[in-house]
Amino acid sequence: MSDDDDDLVRFASSLFYATEEQDKAEVVLIRSGEPSNACRVRCYTEDLSGQAGLRYASVDETVEFASGQSMAYVRVPILRDAAWHTCEEFAMRLSDPQDCKIRGGGCRVKIIDQDYFPDNCLQQHIVLDELDMVSHWTFTTSFLRLCWKQAGVPWKATVSVLISLMHNAYFLLTIYLKVYIINVLLAKAAEAGRQEREAFHPHPDSPPEYETLRQLRSEEAESGGLLGNDLLVPGHFQETAAIIGACYVVPFAVLHVLDLVRAKLGLSGSLKTMLMSALFRRFMSYKSDVRQNVSDAEISMMCVRDIPELISQGVMSGFKLIEILCQILTTMVFLFMEDTLAIVPFAVYPLLAGLWMGIRRPILKEVQDNKLKAGNDLVKGIQQACMNFNLILDYRKRSKAVDRFSTVAMSYRKAMSVGHLVDINNGRFFPWLTTLSMAAYCIIGVQQLQEGTTTIGTFVATFGIFHEVGHELEAGYEIMIAMMQAFHSVKNLTKMLNMETDDVDRMASVELRLRVGIEERSKTLKQLTHGKSAEEVASAYQIVDDLIDIQLSNLTYVLNDGGKDVKILDGTSMQLKQGKITCIASGERQGKSTVLRIIAGALKPTEGYVFVPPHLQVLQVEDTPSFLPHSLKSNLIFGVSDDDLSLASYDRVKEICNKLEFSDKLMRRLEQDWSGLNKEDDHAWLSQLTSTDQMQIHLARAFISNPHVLVLHKPFMRFYNQAMQEAVLQTLKDFVHFRGICMANNKPEDVQQRRARTVILSAFHSIEIQNSDDLLLLRDRTLSSVTPQDVLKTVSMSHPRLKSSKTITKEQN
């Protein structure tokens, strides 16, 4: 499908924005071609990161274009709430065209959430950068409320708690089973065995001590707990023992299955994914000055360490803590019924634990801060060494780099060692309490047995409870310490997820492009169709989008350089024609790159605006090549949209590489990649690239992606060979002339149906200046149209490459 077929219905932009405050997203559809006929098309929403029913209301409607109508609107309701959400997206698709054609790919709608993470109650502290004044408890409760509001969390958490309660029920069952086994089953079995032995070996003169033991056993048999005082199957010991065994095995098997069900709920995984995706999405939208202050190591450690620990040891450990607390309550119920005195230690434990945690909290906070900082420094040191390896190697600083890293590694070891010692001391608190309690109850329990106020079964069960619950309390205390340390990272996560992004600026830019684009399209159409015949009107609709200029309106940009404001542009207004090669020239360090970044939308002007027609896709190509650690094929087709994979065909890619005069070695590599002979993650070939190879791949990737507007920073900078320069120049010219390069068909009628292609570049050699359609000179903080000779007169003194005017004059002649 070509860019500009008759009766082509498309979205006015590939990206739209909306905020919760707007209540709806307004998506614009434009109909290209002569609109005398009525047509219709289906438009519907599709979930991406944002889900219908949670972030927006799904829409599926038929959009009708009446005769003469070239524009329509689809409004999608945005669901509003006060909870924080990451900026999520949903897609809009077109299908089922009637009397028209559609272009695939659709568009995306990004919902900007203006709430604060984790809760709006922290807004003032976040705005004033006073998070250190917020209590640890506030961070924790706010974060837990946020987690509870996530989709699916309430019912999954409820199921997890119910499963934990069933574990406690099983624990209580095992206690009563133990009492019944000792007091009833074993006692009656022992008595039956004694009677059987006496039947064969009677002892008429039994000593008084034996009679006392018999009486004690008889009393024990009277206390079987909830299961009664008789055999479950009267007169049958083996059957009763089998039932008791089944009471152990069957519930245990059921709990095993329930634990698998709880694991498959994916509560932990969904929360981790939500936070990691939110952090990465936020990082990708940071303003440029904000991103410079956030190291890659911080983002990496947040994703691989802090967020997993926050969920696993923070949120999910809460369910284990609930299970332990319920187990303690269950135990106290048993003790209240059987041995009230044993409740005392369990009532004192929480008070002592709270007091101990209050004393140790400042130490824990300091240790956790030091561990996090040391870990971040370690990763940062590794990352910097890897990124700057060639620099270190060139200046023979490997030994110093190793020494510097050893110092960082030593600091990390010390921080972890101190933390380990603190953990050992904290972990011995409850074992001491448990050991002392067991020793005390051993003395008290024996006295109760002598006085006849308890039974052997109750004593054994209670003693086991002290041991079992002691371990559970120890685990609970360790969980609470781990939770405190895990929730400590909420503050850092709050900083990261509330840093300023460029979403609002981009939304304003898109809205400006749409508004001005609609106005310019209507104005241009009016000029083209006024007083024209029907055939001329139809032709006007075909070409109108290519006649809308790129506009620089009252453009001003002030750069803050070391506290001093430097004005690069001052009120510049200019129109750049589509379908042209426009070159910007200036002296050294005069702001060419800044102007190109503003045109590409990478920089926001201080005043004024840049208008690029909303249907145009703009691609900025920096002068420093960058690559993915993958195959040559993956690097070359990186910019191709999934909706138009025909652009990534082997024949087209190969043809573009040949036009740029790739080396034979690279062409062989490309053929091997396409044949599957090389592994996708094999990137050793990158280290063998020359400077020319790198720039060739860098430019080829841009041409393969086939944007409407190419913004190139010094594309000829690495090419000093005239043949190479001419190859790149011819590729640029073909890209503009044929409206896309190496397309399937370059017949004139096919080329006319494509959208115009535009190149805006900065000068480095004289070849760009001489061969551009339009030449702009950046001088005295403004842009102006000039001739090649004007450029030489102005910048040749500071531009050694442009000193020779003979070359330009000769080429012009």
Side-chain angles (χ1 to χ4, degrees), residues 57 77 86 90 146 157 198 203 239 249 430 438 488 520 523 530 587 620 628 650 691 725 749 752 754-755 766:
T86 180
F90 64 90
L146 172 66
E198 287 185 351
H203 296 280
E239 287 79 355
V249 174
F430 267 109
M438 291 174 65
H488 182 74
E520 289 294 321
K523 182 175 69 174
H530 180 67
Q620 178 182 216
L628 300 172
Y650 174 66
S691 176
Q725 293 178 2
E749 57 271 22
Q752 284 301 116
R754 299 175 192 154
R755 187 77 57 219
S766 60

mmCIF file of all heavy atoms in Angstrom, residues 57 77 86 90 146 157 198 203 239 249 430 438 488 520 523 530 587 620 628 650 691 725 749 752 754-755 766:
data_model
loop_
_atom_site.group_PDB
_atom_site.id
_atom_site.type_symbol
_atom_site.label_atom_id
_atom_site.label_comp_id
_atom_site.label_asym_id
_atom_site.label_seq_id
_atom_site.Cartn_x
_atom_site.Cartn_y
_atom_site.Cartn_z
ATOM 1 N N ALA A 57 -12.308 3.433 28.462
ATOM 2 C CA ALA A 57 -13.476 2.663 28.047
ATOM 3 C C ALA A 57 -13.301 2.266 26.590
ATOM 4 O O ALA A 57 -13.021 3.112 25.742
ATOM 5 C CB ALA A 57 -14.752 3.484 28.232
ATOM 6 N N PRO A 77 -13.353 7.562 26.014
ATOM 7 C CA PRO A 77 -13.417 7.993 27.420
ATOM 8 C C PRO A 77 -12.205 7.503 28.220
ATOM 9 O O PRO A 77 -11.800 6.343 28.106
ATOM 10 C CB PRO A 77 -14.711 7.353 27.938
ATOM 11 C CG PRO A 77 -15.521 7.084 26.703
ATOM 12 C CD PRO A 77 -14.521 6.753 25.628
ATOM 13 N N THR A 86 1.202 4.326 36.159
ATOM 14 C CA THR A 86 2.230 4.698 35.207
ATOM 15 C C THR A 86 1.555 5.218 33.946
ATOM 16 O O THR A 86 0.383 4.956 33.701
ATOM 17 C CB THR A 86 3.119 3.486 34.864
ATOM 18 O OG1 THR A 86 4.111 3.889 33.939
ATOM 19 C CG2 THR A 86 2.297 2.376 34.250
ATOM 20 N N PHE A 90 -2.772 2.695 24.918
ATOM 21 C CA PHE A 90 -3.622 1.747 24.204
ATOM 22 C C PHE A 90 -3.564 2.101 22.726
ATOM 23 O O PHE A 90 -3.139 3.200 22.342
ATOM 24 C CB PHE A 90 -5.053 1.733 24.738
ATOM 25 C CG PHE A 90 -5.797 3.031 24.563
ATOM 26 C CD1 PHE A 90 -6.552 3.296 23.428
ATOM 27 C CD2 PHE A 90 -5.768 3.998 25.563
ATOM 28 C CE1 PHE A 90 -7.239 4.481 23.271
ATOM 29 C CE2 PHE A 90 -6.463 5.191 25.426
ATOM 30 C CZ PHE A 90 -7.204 5.438 24.269
ATOM 31 N N LEU A 146 -1.201 1.496 47.507
ATOM 32 C CA LEU A 146 -1.055 1.480 46.052
ATOM 33 C C LEU A 146 -1.107 0.059 45.523
ATOM 34 O O LEU A 146 -1.787 -0.226 44.521
ATOM 35 C CB LEU A 146 0.263 2.145 45.663
ATOM 36 C CG LEU A 146 0.659 2.038 44.186
ATOM 37 C CD1 LEU A 146 -0.306 2.812 43.308
ATOM 38 C CD2 LEU A 146 2.081 2.527 43.969
ATOM 39 N N ALA A 157 -4.894 -11.429 47.060
ATOM 40 C CA ALA A 157 -4.431 -11.310 48.447
ATOM 41 C C ALA A 157 -5.386 -12.021 49.394
ATOM 42 O O ALA A 157 -4.955 -12.680 50.355
ATOM 43 C CB ALA A 157 -4.301 -9.838 48.821
ATOM 44 N N GLU A 198 -0.291 -59.101 82.010
ATOM 45 C CA GLU A 198 -0.679 -59.606 83.339
ATOM 46 C C GLU A 198 -1.501 -60.878 83.228
ATOM 47 O O GLU A 198 -1.506 -61.723 84.129
ATOM 48 C CB GLU A 198 -1.473 -58.535 84.092
ATOM 49 C CG GLU A 198 -0.599 -57.397 84.582
ATOM 50 C CD GLU A 198 -1.395 -56.406 85.420
ATOM 51 O OE1 GLU A 198 -2.632 -56.532 85.460
ATOM 52 O OE2 GLU A 198 -0.766 -55.512 86.017
ATOM 53 N N HIS A 203 0.815 -60.473 88.559
ATOM 54 C CA HIS A 203 1.617 -59.996 89.688
ATOM 55 C C HIS A 203 0.660 -59.552 90.770
ATOM 56 O O HIS A 203 0.211 -58.402 90.820
ATOM 57 C CB HIS A 203 2.496 -58.809 89.279
ATOM 58 C CG HIS A 203 3.526 -59.190 88.241
ATOM 59 N ND1 HIS A 203 4.703 -59.836 88.569
ATOM 60 C CD2 HIS A 203 3.529 -59.032 86.896
ATOM 61 C CE1 HIS A 203 5.397 -60.036 87.459
ATOM 62 N NE2 HIS A 203 4.696 -59.562 86.425
ATOM 63 N N GLU A 239 -7.144 -49.356 63.438
ATOM 64 C CA GLU A 239 -8.025 -48.518 62.631
ATOM 65 C C GLU A 239 -8.004 -47.071 63.122
ATOM 66 O O GLU A 239 -7.999 -46.123 62.324
ATOM 67 C CB GLU A 239 -9.454 -49.068 62.657
ATOM 68 C CG GLU A 239 -9.652 -50.331 61.858
ATOM 69 C CD GLU A 239 -9.164 -51.571 62.596
ATOM 70 O OE1 GLU A 239 -8.580 -51.415 63.686
ATOM 71 O OE2 GLU A 239 -9.344 -52.693 62.075
ATOM 72 N N VAL A 249 -2.022 -36.755 56.882
ATOM 73 C CA VAL A 249 -1.609 -36.797 55.488
ATOM 74 C C VAL A 249 -2.555 -36.036 54.567
ATOM 75 O O VAL A 249 -2.121 -35.219 53.741
ATOM 76 C CB VAL A 249 -1.486 -38.260 55.016
ATOM 77 C CG1 VAL A 249 -1.207 -38.322 53.514
ATOM 78 C CG2 VAL A 249 -0.389 -38.976 55.796
ATOM 79 N N PHE A 430 15.025 -13.668 69.404
ATOM 80 C CA PHE A 430 13.975 -14.619 69.718
ATOM 81 C C PHE A 430 14.498 -15.996 70.103
ATOM 82 O O PHE A 430 13.889 -16.665 70.936
ATOM 83 C CB PHE A 430 12.989 -14.720 68.551
ATOM 84 C CG PHE A 430 11.817 -13.789 68.707
ATOM 85 C CD1 PHE A 430 11.697 -12.674 67.904
ATOM 86 C CD2 PHE A 430 10.846 -14.012 69.669
ATOM 87 C CE1 PHE A 430 10.636 -11.806 68.046
ATOM 88 C CE2 PHE A 430 9.784 -13.148 69.821
ATOM 89 C CZ PHE A 430 9.669 -12.038 69.015
ATOM 90 N N MET A 438 11.480 -22.109 77.284
ATOM 91 C CA MET A 438 11.416 -23.569 77.348
ATOM 92 C C MET A 438 12.029 -24.083 78.647
ATOM 93 O O MET A 438 11.519 -25.015 79.279
ATOM 94 C CB MET A 438 12.133 -24.172 76.145
ATOM 95 C CG MET A 438 11.417 -23.926 74.820
ATOM 96 S SD MET A 438 12.363 -24.489 73.378
ATOM 97 C CE MET A 438 12.398 -26.247 73.674
ATOM 98 N N HIS A 488 12.445 0.229 52.950
ATOM 99 C CA HIS A 488 13.339 1.386 52.951
ATOM 100 C C HIS A 488 13.569 1.899 51.532
ATOM 101 O O HIS A 488 13.813 3.093 51.320
ATOM 102 C CB HIS A 488 14.666 1.005 53.601
ATOM 103 C CG HIS A 488 15.642 2.137 53.693
ATOM 104 N ND1 HIS A 488 15.514 3.168 54.597
ATOM 105 C CD2 HIS A 488 16.754 2.413 52.973
ATOM 106 C CE1 HIS A 488 16.505 4.022 54.434
ATOM 107 N NE2 HIS A 488 17.276 3.588 53.462
ATOM 108 N N GLU A 520 -3.416 24.477 8.443
ATOM 109 C CA GLU A 520 -2.618 24.622 7.229
ATOM 110 C C GLU A 520 -3.195 23.780 6.085
ATOM 111 O O GLU A 520 -3.188 24.202 4.925
ATOM 112 C CB GLU A 520 -1.169 24.195 7.506
ATOM 113 C CG GLU A 520 -0.401 25.152 8.392
ATOM 114 C CD GLU A 520 -0.190 26.501 7.712
ATOM 115 O OE1 GLU A 520 0.067 26.522 6.486
ATOM 116 O OE2 GLU A 520 -0.280 27.525 8.403
ATOM 117 N N LYS A 523 -6.244 25.648 4.793
ATOM 118 C CA LYS A 523 -5.844 26.857 4.075
ATOM 119 C C LYS A 523 -5.240 26.502 2.720
ATOM 120 O O LYS A 523 -5.569 27.133 1.692
ATOM 121 C CB LYS A 523 -4.838 27.642 4.915
ATOM 122 C CG LYS A 523 -4.395 28.957 4.279
ATOM 123 C CD LYS A 523 -3.503 29.742 5.219
ATOM 124 C CE LYS A 523 -2.176 29.072 5.406
ATOM 125 N NZ LYS A 523 -1.230 29.900 6.223
ATOM 126 N N HIS A 530 -9.756 26.822 -5.092
ATOM 127 C CA HIS A 530 -10.578 27.999 -5.379
ATOM 128 C C HIS A 530 -10.682 28.221 -6.900
ATOM 129 O O HIS A 530 -9.679 28.429 -7.594
ATOM 130 C CB HIS A 530 -9.989 29.245 -4.711
ATOM 131 C CG HIS A 530 -10.786 30.493 -4.965
ATOM 132 N ND1 HIS A 530 -12.051 30.673 -4.463
ATOM 133 C CD2 HIS A 530 -10.498 31.620 -5.683
ATOM 134 C CE1 HIS A 530 -12.514 31.843 -4.834
ATOM 135 N NE2 HIS A 530 -11.577 32.443 -5.587
ATOM 136 N N GLY A 587 29.666 28.605 11.605
ATOM 137 C CA GLY A 587 31.003 28.407 12.140
ATOM 138 C C GLY A 587 30.978 27.346 13.221
ATOM 139 O O GLY A 587 29.935 26.800 13.573
ATOM 140 N N GLN A 620 15.737 11.478 13.683
ATOM 141 C CA GLN A 620 16.996 12.190 13.910
ATOM 142 C C GLN A 620 18.146 11.185 13.947
ATOM 143 O O GLN A 620 18.065 10.166 14.640
ATOM 144 C CB GLN A 620 16.948 12.964 15.225
ATOM 145 C CG GLN A 620 18.241 13.693 15.542
ATOM 146 C CD GLN A 620 18.201 14.418 16.870
ATOM 147 O OE1 GLN A 620 18.766 15.490 17.023
ATOM 148 N NE2 GLN A 620 17.547 13.841 17.847
ATOM 149 N N LEU A 628 23.344 -1.960 18.614
ATOM 150 C CA LEU A 628 22.848 -2.967 19.544
ATOM 151 C C LEU A 628 23.843 -4.131 19.581
ATOM 152 O O LEU A 628 24.486 -4.423 18.570
ATOM 153 C CB LEU A 628 21.492 -3.490 19.081
ATOM 154 C CG LEU A 628 20.353 -2.476 18.962
ATOM 155 C CD1 LEU A 628 19.152 -3.144 18.303
ATOM 156 C CD2 LEU A 628 19.976 -1.936 20.317
ATOM 157 N N TYR A 650 15.353 -8.723 2.404
ATOM 158 C CA TYR A 650 16.794 -8.866 2.159
ATOM 159 C C TYR A 650 17.230 -8.106 0.914
ATOM 160 O O TYR A 650 18.265 -7.434 0.910
ATOM 161 C CB TYR A 650 17.148 -10.349 2.024
ATOM 162 C CG TYR A 650 18.592 -10.577 1.629
ATOM 163 C CD1 TYR A 650 19.637 -10.230 2.484
ATOM 164 C CD2 TYR A 650 18.904 -11.129 0.384
ATOM 165 C CE1 TYR A 650 20.965 -10.427 2.111
ATOM 166 C CE2 TYR A 650 20.224 -11.330 0.011
ATOM 167 C CZ TYR A 650 21.249 -10.985 0.882
ATOM 168 O OH TYR A 650 22.547 -11.183 0.511
ATOM 169 N N SER A 691 35.874 3.217 11.297
ATOM 170 C CA SER A 691 35.050 4.405 11.470
ATOM 171 C C SER A 691 34.092 4.584 10.303
ATOM 172 O O SER A 691 32.923 4.954 10.487
ATOM 173 C CB SER A 691 35.947 5.640 11.618
ATOM 174 O OG SER A 691 35.184 6.819 11.697
ATOM 175 N N GLN A 725 31.872 9.998 -0.426
ATOM 176 C CA GLN A 725 31.006 11.154 -0.280
ATOM 177 C C GLN A 725 29.943 11.182 -1.372
ATOM 178 O O GLN A 725 28.764 11.452 -1.106
ATOM 179 C CB GLN A 725 31.832 12.444 -0.327
ATOM 180 C CG GLN A 725 32.764 12.631 0.866
ATOM 181 C CD GLN A 725 33.594 13.892 0.746
ATOM 182 O OE1 GLN A 725 33.461 14.658 -0.201
ATOM 183 N NE2 GLN A 725 34.470 14.116 1.716
ATOM 184 N N GLU A 749 4.476 7.296 -11.922
ATOM 185 C CA GLU A 749 3.134 7.287 -11.340
ATOM 186 C C GLU A 749 3.131 6.674 -9.942
ATOM 187 O O GLU A 749 2.335 7.057 -9.078
ATOM 188 C CB GLU A 749 2.147 6.531 -12.239
ATOM 189 C CG GLU A 749 2.535 5.093 -12.556
ATOM 190 C CD GLU A 749 3.408 4.964 -13.797
ATOM 191 O OE1 GLU A 749 4.057 5.972 -14.181
ATOM 192 O OE2 GLU A 749 3.432 3.867 -14.391
ATOM 193 N N GLN A 752 4.727 9.303 -7.452
ATOM 194 C CA GLN A 752 3.813 10.390 -7.136
ATOM 195 C C GLN A 752 2.821 10.015 -6.043
ATOM 196 O O GLN A 752 2.314 10.887 -5.340
ATOM 197 C CB GLN A 752 3.044 10.806 -8.405
ATOM 198 C CG GLN A 752 3.862 11.634 -9.373
ATOM 199 C CD GLN A 752 4.364 12.918 -8.726
ATOM 200 O OE1 GLN A 752 5.571 13.101 -8.572
ATOM 201 N NE2 GLN A 752 3.459 13.794 -8.339
ATOM 202 N N ARG A 754 3.525 8.334 -3.408
ATOM 203 C CA ARG A 754 4.192 8.258 -2.104
ATOM 204 C C ARG A 754 4.255 9.630 -1.456
ATOM 205 O O ARG A 754 4.185 10.652 -2.134
ATOM 206 C CB ARG A 754 5.609 7.696 -2.254
ATOM 207 C CG ARG A 754 5.666 6.295 -2.824
ATOM 208 C CD ARG A 754 7.106 5.881 -3.058
ATOM 209 N NE ARG A 754 7.174 4.646 -3.860
ATOM 210 C CZ ARG A 754 8.196 4.317 -4.631
ATOM 211 N NH1 ARG A 754 9.257 5.115 -4.717
ATOM 212 N NH2 ARG A 754 8.167 3.189 -5.308
ATOM 213 N N ARG A 755 4.407 9.613 -0.175
ATOM 214 C CA ARG A 755 4.581 10.861 0.563
ATOM 215 C C ARG A 755 5.954 11.437 0.271
ATOM 216 O O ARG A 755 6.931 10.710 0.079
ATOM 217 C CB ARG A 755 4.442 10.579 2.070
ATOM 218 C CG ARG A 755 4.441 11.782 2.943
ATOM 219 C CD ARG A 755 3.112 12.515 2.911
ATOM 220 N NE ARG A 755 2.021 11.646 3.300
ATOM 221 C CZ ARG A 755 0.817 11.659 2.739
ATOM 222 N NH1 ARG A 755 0.581 12.466 1.719
ATOM 223 N NH2 ARG A 755 -0.125 10.849 3.152
ATOM 224 N N SER A 766 32.347 20.647 2.010
ATOM 225 C CA SER A 766 31.768 21.534 1.004
ATOM 226 C C SER A 766 30.723 20.835 0.154
ATOM 227 O O SER A 766 29.860 21.479 -0.436
ATOM 228 C CB SER A 766 32.866 22.096 0.101
ATOM 229 O OG SER A 766 33.540 21.032 -0.563
#
